Amino acid sequence: MSKKDYIRIFLLLLISISLSKSIQSQFITNIKGKVLDINSNNVISDVNIIISPDNIQTTTNQNGEFIFHDIKNGSYTLIFTHISYFEKTEKIKINENEILILEVYLKRKIRYLQEFEIIKSTEKDNHPIKIESISKLELLKSPNQDIAKTLQSKPNISVIRKGGTNVDPVIRGFKSTQLNVTIDGGIKIEGGCPNRMDPAISHIDINDVEKIEILKGPYALKYGANFGGVINIKRKKPLRYSTFKTDVTAIKRFESNWNGNKEHLSISGGNKDFYFLLSGNRSKYGDYKTGNGEKINSELSKYNYSAMAGFTPFKDHNLTFSFDRSYGRNISFPALPMDERTDDTKVYSFNYSGNFQNKTFNKVNLKIYHSEVDHLMDNKNRSFSDTVVAISAINAKNFGYRAATEINIGKGNLIFGTDFENIKKDGDRNKFFILQPNLPVKNEKLWDDAQITNFGIFTEYSQKFKNTNLIFSMRLDQNTASSNVLELKNMMGIPMYYNPDVNSEFTNFSFSAGVNHDLSKEISVGFALGRGVRSPDMTERYIILLPIGYDDYDYLGNPELKPEANNELDLELKYKNKTRGNIIFSTFFSYVTDYISAESVPPSIIKPQTAWVVGVKEFINIDHVYLYGFEFLYSSPQINNFGINFNASITKGINPSATKYIIENNQVIDSEVVKNDPLQEIPPFESNFSAYYKFFDNRIIPEIDIRFVAAQNDFSEAFEEQKTPGFIIAGFKCNFKYNDNLQIITGVNNVFDKAYYEHLNRKIIGSSQALFEPGRVVYINLVLNI
Amino acid sequence: MRKYFLFILVILLMSACEKYDEEKQVSYIISDCESGFNVTYSDENGTLIKKDISTSSAEDKWSYSFDSKQGEIIYVSAIYKDISSVINVQILVDEKLFKQASSKYDTLNFVTVSGTIPY
């Protein structure tokens, strides 16, 4: 990062803080109150209360009480929301030196608990584990049809782009199966493509999502084996009413530039005994233009439908079944050797949740799922299909369960349970030599009935003291893998490569501990330490020669790989002040042992099967690498309807001893050791600034966004990366809430039509040119609720 | 109000309807060959068919047409036996020339025209 970059960041920060300071004023009183049920007169806990225009938020305690400190005199609006009650708005006026005590009554809306997962402890404030979340409103306001792209607004979260859609998330430099992507806290999908054109996150439609939780680091161990972080996608659930009622939601999204159209329709409803949700989505996008007017093949067509239904056999016990079918058609990936021709995905799940409301025995949750992906891809839109047409068909299945119990031990909360995951993958590539007589066809296996089974047991204990939160968690995984022999034959049927040693078994132990302590009313400090162990995935173990990396090599799986372990330390400082705003600074250091990387294999052992690659690389473990970085967030108080947010982050990754290969005439001729080579696919320094203003009781909220990304000069020589220039882009959006039925979000992304690309964007296949991001996009999202 | 929103809903649903997997008409045409040739081609099912075709003059044309989905492999390959002959092999997609190749006085090499039906 250059000096200029630091000056830009400093100026942005200075502007942020000075703007917030300039709008401070004096505060003199408190607002206290109690929230009660209008029928039973019982107190209501966990009611969310927002005071407007300051937009300060609090919740009621176990006694239904709440308090807002240091509020200046004036007129305010208090908004009370609770999942089981109708929203209530109270307008109040505070005179000087007056302490206001309110009694607020809410009317019950939903009498019956919805399906839940035992994940409660992650949602607590001041949690020692670093948690980011994306709300339903943020998803609605997002200009993108891609879930993973919306995560990019959070610090130290980036994406790898290979086409117009299905971007692959990267958190603090960890990617792919180093991240645990889970749906509703337990459902897993194994993508079909070895080049991750369909990562798990891409199989869920953004309009079907209620919330996304991102838990950074190897700390959250109750969702499955976790190495670098968890992305938990919470799908929409049907709302339930005391008497049968239905809700209808329709969403229409349009993006200019690539003529993107997306529609959503869902109908949900229920009563005390029964509930359901039917949902459907359809997306069709064309080719986008970059800022310099270049057209990128990015067309896509997707549609899906899903059904969720459940009933309550006994009070507070729910059984829910769900089914989701999604289809992808003709999705272009100009940075990959193939495009997605068809993708048919099925996800079935069953969920039982029981709330015992017992002093000790609290909740039970069981989730069973099966997902299956049929993925067909080909090179028909590549120039090399003039001589060889390659078609790959992959079938990936994932079956599993998660069972968890939550009990109270004294003032602590203990979650324990077990999970299981069985992944099966099989697929091949047929090469049609279309310029040769008699149309010869060569069949190559990519995975040959490969299978990975993981059985885990986990526990998590959390306890809240007066000023301190503690959390400990552990998990033990038994991981076994098998496949048919890894074998490659030439056109005559003669073996060119043969590896019969394909079985492996590991027992992995992971643990984490975290503490958060309030040093004062305004300052808290958090500390977390953990070790997350990940067994090698399907690709790393069993892939048979495909160009799946950033560099130009065919990759070969290695069944003898060992698990890699992330030993991580996190430190977080939080400062919360109602007049100055909130500041969060977090830093981390990861020491990864047995890091899974790749090394070149001589042609005498195996020759590549792809025309344009320079050789074959086999996955190997290297002794250790390390990663470190920080995240900084500032959010101003909302004063006079105006607020700002700022964040900045960076990750560095270092391989102390990497091997760089010397290539001449498209062949590896030598190698040399590079000391302290940066790890590949690590994003550069990035910062985001946004400012908003709320008009007409929050009904119109315009917002500007500025994103600054520094040049990436720390690039991996061993993996043939290149320097990436920095950029600044600006966006504008406006949220208009007409009434409870109609909401319109409109905006412009990349207002100045800047031509730029991210460091993690892959190169356009057959060239050294990176895939550019879309130029200016005008978008409109129309949301109807009936 | 409710009726108004329902109307918008219907409009939204209608805008989402579209036709997938458009079919194209494919024609293989072999011409200019005076004395017959051997042809190998893939049919609408992707099956490779081999035929021995006789012609009585260069004006005789052999053709084969079928409907197929976008992206399917289309392939036609021919060789003739008479060293004084010529051959012209064409593939038409929706009656427009997609690819063609020809040879003259060459009985050793196949004339192959192939590709995938464009999207």
Side-chain angles (χ1 to χ4, degrees):
Chain A
M1 204 165 51
S2 68
K3 271 185 182 175
K4 267 187 177 177
D5 296 340
Y6 283 113
I7 292 166
R8 282 173 184 157
I9 298 309
F10 178 72
L11 285 174
L12 275 176
L13 192 60
L14 208 64
I15 292 166
S16 311
I17 291 167
S18 61
L19 276 171
S20 72
K21 284 217 164 216
S22 68
I23 51 178
Q24 287 174 32
S25 58
Q26 207 180 349
F27 302 89
I28 52 164
T29 191
N30 295 340
I31 302 172
K32 288 179 180 177
K34 195 180 243 187
V35 184
L36 303 115
D37 186 301
I38 197 165
N39 294 319
S40 65
N41 227 27
N42 290 334
V43 295
I44 311 168
S45 61
D46 296 324
V47 177
N48 197 43
I49 308 153
I50 298 172
I51 183 163
S52 179
D54 288 6
N55 216 27
I56 301 165
Q57 197 169 311
T58 190
T59 48
T60 53
N61 62 17
Q62 290 298 315
N63 302 319
E65 295 162 346
F66 68 91
I67 184 163
F68 288 104
H69 295 281
D70 304 333
I71 304 294
K72 65 179 179 181
N73 54 319
S75 295
Y76 293 91
T77 304
L78 291 170
I79 304 162
F80 297 80
T81 53
H82 189 283
I83 191 163
S84 302
Y85 289 84
F86 285 104
E87 184 179 302
K88 184 162 187 179
T89 303
E90 287 276 336
K91 289 196 185 293
I92 55 166
K93 192 174 179 186
I94 303 169
N95 300 316
E96 204 163 331
N97 295 324
E98 182 184 61
I99 296 174
L100 201 63
I101 301 172
L102 299 169
E103 210 160 73
V104 180
Y105 291 90
L106 299 184
K107 192 177 172 187
R108 194 162 187 111
K109 177 174 68 173
I110 304 160
R111 283 179 53 196
Y112 302 92
L113 264 178
Q114 294 181 79
E115 171 195 324
F116 63 83
E117 290 87 36
I118 296 178
I119 50 177
K120 180 184 161 192
S121 62
T122 62
E123 291 168 347
K124 288 175 183 167
D125 195 23
N126 285 340
H127 197 275
I129 297 173
K130 182 75 190 148
I131 304 168
E132 306 272 4
S133 65
I134 309 252
S135 67
K136 184 178 168 183
L137 183 62
E138 282 178 277
L139 291 166
L140 277 178
K141 282 160 73 176
S142 167
N144 294 291
Q145 44 83 28
D146 230 321
I147 294 183
K149 192 75 181 160
T150 63
L151 306 181
Q152 215 177 7
S153 60
K154 302 294 173 188
N156 253 336
I157 302 183
S158 309
V159 297
I160 298 173
R161 181 188 282 280
K162 299 158 189 167
T165 188
N166 295 6
V167 294
D168 206 1
V170 177
I171 300 176
R172 290 177 167 178
F174 296 117
K175 56 184 181 286
S176 183
T177 47
Q178 290 176 329
L179 302 175
N180 175 11
V181 178
T182 178
I183 300 155
D184 294 339
I187 298 170
K188 304 279 180 74
I189 298 174
E190 177 75 13
C193 175
N195 247 316
R196 294 182 65 82
M197 64 171 70
D198 66 326
I201 198 166
S202 71
H203 290 280
I204 301 295
D205 194 283
I206 192 168
N207 290 326
D208 289 335
V209 178
E210 183 73 30
K211 187 181 178 185
I212 304 170
E213 265 187 348
I214 305 123
L215 299 98
K216 293 176 177 172
Y219 306 117
L221 301 173
K222 59 193 169 188
Y223 300 105
N226 176 19
F227 179 84
V230 176
I231 299 174
N232 184 21
I233 304 161
K234 297 179 173 183
R235 293 183 297 182
K236 281 181 189 166
K237 304 282 188 308
L239 284 178
R240 300 175 65 188
Y241 301 91
S242 51
T243 54
F244 186 81
K245 273 186 190 174
T246 56
D247 298 299
V248 178
T249 301
I251 301 170
K252 169 76 185 178
R253 293 171 185 256
F254 172 75
E255 288 181 52
S256 70
N257 187 333
W258 53 338
N259 196 24
N261 283 281
K262 185 167 176 63
E263 293 85 21
H264 164 86
L265 179 67
S266 62
I267 302 165
S268 78
N271 59 18
K272 61 185 175 122
D273 299 318
F274 169 77
Y275 48 96
F276 74 96
L277 170 69
L278 302 170
S279 173
N281 295 282
R282 171 264 190 196
S283 314
K284 189 155 179 68
Y285 286 65
D287 295 334
Y288 70 73
K289 273 189 184 165
T290 65
N292 52 21
E294 191 191 350
K295 202 169 161 186
I296 300 290
N297 292 330
S298 56
E299 65 171 356
L300 67 100
S301 181
K302 288 181 176 185
Y303 56 101
N304 84 312
Y305 55 88
S306 61
M308 191 181 282
F311 65 96
T312 305
F314 314 103
K315 190 173 180 287
D316 296 330
H317 293 258
N318 294 319
L319 297 170
T320 309
F321 301 86
S322 78
F323 169 66
D324 188 303
R325 274 215 80 156
S326 59
Y327 304 87
R329 295 287 182 270
N330 300 327
I331 303 180
S332 299
F333 291 92
L336 295 179
M338 291 186 175
D339 296 314
E340 178 180 302
R341 200 53 57 205
T342 64
D343 183 287
D344 295 352
T345 300
K346 292 170 248 180
V347 183
Y348 308 88
S349 73
F350 161 78
N351 189 81
Y352 160 72
S353 54
N355 189 345
F356 292 87
Q357 295 178 335
N358 183 305
K359 270 190 179 174
T360 304
F361 197 60
N362 207 346
K363 290 172 183 170
V364 172
N365 183 213
L366 170 69
K367 197 178 291 293
I368 303 170
Y369 70 90
H370 171 75
S371 63
E372 183 169 356
V373 176
D374 281 305
H375 189 84
L376 186 75
M377 49 199 181
D378 62 52
N379 70 345
K380 289 170 183 172
N381 280 349
R382 300 287 178 279
S383 57
F384 28 87
S385 69
D386 282 351
T387 51
V388 180
V389 174
I391 301 171
S392 292
I394 315 281
N395 176 264
K397 291 177 187 152
N398 194 325
F399 167 77
Y401 67 78
R402 178 181 184 270
T405 303
E406 183 184 310
I407 59 173
N408 298 322
I409 301 175
K411 290 182 178 175
N413 179 271
L414 180 74
I415 295 171
F416 60 94
T418 171
D419 53 40
F420 173 86
E421 185 183 11
N422 174 253
I423 306 167
K424 288 180 178 170
K425 219 159 179 178
D426 187 61
D428 54 15
R429 172 171 63 176
N430 284 313
K431 287 178 175 170
F432 296 82
F433 295 86
I434 61 169
L435 283 183
Q436 293 187 22
N438 299 319
L439 192 59
V441 182
K442 188 182 179 198
N443 178 269
E444 296 163 350
K445 290 300 281 189
L446 300 177
W447 283 288
D448 197 353
D449 280 331
Q451 191 168 165
I452 294 176
T453 302
N454 197 89
F455 173 75
I457 51 172
F458 60 86
T459 182
E460 180 184 284
Y461 178 78
S462 57
Q463 186 164 351
K464 188 175 165 65
F465 297 92
K466 192 182 172 193
N467 294 316
T468 307
N469 287 331
L470 283 176
I471 185 166
F472 302 95
S473 70
M474 283 189 294
R475 69 174 289 124
L476 193 67
D477 289 289
Q478 183 71 18
N479 187 284
T480 56
S482 65
S483 165
N484 289 338
V485 293
L486 301 189
E487 189 177 26
L488 191 69
K489 292 177 180 171
N490 67 10
M491 295 284 276
M492 317 295 178
I494 299 164
M496 297 161 65
Y497 176 76
Y498 186 80
N499 184 353
D501 298 323
V502 287
N503 298 333
S504 58
E505 186 169 351
F506 302 108
T507 303
N508 303 327
F509 176 67
S510 304
F511 72 91
S512 71
V515 58
N516 189 88
H517 181 69
D518 296 332
L519 297 172
S520 67
K521 215 169 123 186
E522 294 179 330
I523 300 171
S524 68
V525 58
F527 174 80
L529 177 74
R531 176 182 167 86
V533 184
R534 177 185 79 95
S535 293
D537 64 25
M538 274 287 180
T539 304
E540 294 157 345
R541 274 166 156 148
Y542 297 125
I543 191 71
I544 310 173
L545 295 191
L546 265 190
I548 54 172
Y550 179 86
D551 47 11
D552 296 335
Y553 288 83
D554 269 347
Y555 274 71
L556 179 65
N558 180 359
E560 290 169 23
L561 280 177
K562 291 180 284 185
E564 58 179 4
N566 176 16
N567 307 281
E568 188 171 318
L569 193 66
D570 276 48
L571 183 68
E572 184 172 86
L573 284 166
K574 279 183 189 167
Y575 172 77
K576 287 185 177 181
N577 183 290
K578 288 190 180 74
T579 60
R580 294 188 186 95
N582 299 337
I583 292 175
I584 301 173
F585 176 77
S586 45
T587 182
F588 70 96
F589 179 82
S590 279
Y591 184 82
V592 180
T593 52
D594 292 319
Y595 181 74
I596 296 177
S597 184
E599 70 175 5
S600 176
V601 183
S604 56
I605 295 174
I606 189 164
K607 289 188 175 60
Q609 295 299 297
T610 305
W612 46 270
V613 302
V614 297
V616 173
K617 273 189 176 178
E618 183 182 32
F619 287 102
I620 53 154
N621 292 102
I622 56 178
D623 187 65
H624 71 277
V625 301
Y626 52 93
L627 299 98
Y628 57 94
F630 75 84
E631 287 125 27
F632 173 86
L633 293 97
Y634 170 72
S635 57
S636 76
Q638 189 193 298
I639 297 174
N640 296 330
N641 293 332
F642 176 75
I644 58 170
N645 293 296
F646 175 82
N647 70 51
S649 60
I650 192 168
T651 296
K652 298 268 184 190
I654 301 291
N655 180 357
S657 179
T659 306
K660 177 187 175 183
Y661 298 99
I662 315 295
I663 297 157
E664 262 185 31
N665 298 324
N666 221 31
Q667 277 192 330
V668 177
I669 56 157
D670 201 359
S671 66
E672 63 182 35
V673 173
V674 182
K675 293 285 177 198
N676 296 323
D677 191 38
L679 290 177
Q680 72 274 20
E681 298 186 314
I682 301 288
F685 175 85
E686 175 174 342
S687 65
N688 294 280
F689 170 83
S690 67
Y692 60 86
Y693 190 82
K694 297 186 173 177
F695 291 98
F696 308 117
D697 271 345
N698 300 346
R699 286 174 65 187
I700 298 178
I701 310 172
E703 184 180 331
I704 56 159
D705 306 288
I706 298 169
R707 181 165 173 250
F708 166 78
V709 178
Q712 181 56 293
N713 298 315
D714 296 332
F715 52 91
S716 169
E717 286 187 50
F719 281 82
E720 299 163 24
E721 279 194 319
Q722 291 168 347
K723 181 182 168 178
T724 306
F727 58 86
I728 299 178
I729 52 166
F732 168 80
K733 62 178 164 245
C734 185
N735 184 11
F736 171 54
K737 191 174 179 184
Y738 177 70
N739 57 22
D740 286 341
N741 298 112
L742 177 64
Q743 191 173 356
I744 299 168
I745 300 115
T746 185
V748 188
N749 258 13
N750 192 0
V751 171
F752 301 108
D753 208 15
K754 178 105 179 167
Y756 74 101
Y757 59 92
E758 310 269 356
H759 180 66
L760 301 190
N761 286 12
R762 291 283 179 91
K763 295 176 290 187
I764 289 185
I765 210 79
S767 80
S768 57
Q769 187 200 322
L771 179 62
F772 273 67
E773 291 286 319
R776 186 186 300 116
V777 179
V778 180
Y779 65 93
I780 182 161
N781 299 343
L782 182 72
V783 185
L784 286 169
N785 288 299
I786 302 173
Chain B
M1 192 62 141
R2 199 177 166 91
K3 276 181 189 171
Y4 171 72
F5 285 125
L6 281 172
F7 174 72
I8 296 174
L9 269 181
V10 171
I11 298 292
L12 285 181
L13 285 177
M14 282 170 69
S15 74
C17 297
E18 66 169 289
K19 193 181 166 188
Y20 285 93
D21 294 334
E22 210 177 299
E23 290 220 322
K24 302 269 185 183
Q25 192 195 44
V26 178
S27 301
Y28 301 143
I29 299 171
I30 298 178
S31 58
D32 302 344
C33 192
E34 288 179 0
S35 59
F37 52 88
N38 291 319
V39 62
T40 306
Y41 64 92
S42 64
D43 69 2
E44 55 270 46
N45 304 313
T47 310
L48 217 55
I49 313 281
K50 291 183 181 185
K51 281 186 178 169
D52 193 357
I53 307 293
S54 299
T55 53
S56 50
S57 73
E59 277 70 45
D60 284 358
K61 279 187 180 176
W62 173 87
S63 67
Y64 180 81
S65 296
F66 58 95
D67 290 335
S68 191
K69 284 179 188 168
Q70 292 170 306
E72 292 296 314
I73 292 174
I74 42 182
Y75 174 91
V76 57
S77 178
I79 192 166
Y80 49 89
K81 295 159 195 169
D82 182 357
I83 191 71
S84 62
S85 189
V86 295
I87 198 165
N88 185 33
V89 182
Q90 295 180 321
I91 296 179
L92 276 62
V93 175
D94 281 348
E95 298 180 351
K96 285 181 188 159
L97 183 65
F98 173 62
K99 279 183 182 178
Q100 71 171 340
S102 57
S103 83
K104 203 173 185 180
Y105 318 141
D106 180 358
T107 56
L108 297 176
N109 295 304
F110 282 80
V111 180
T112 302
V113 183
S114 59
T116 54
I117 302 173
Y119 288 97

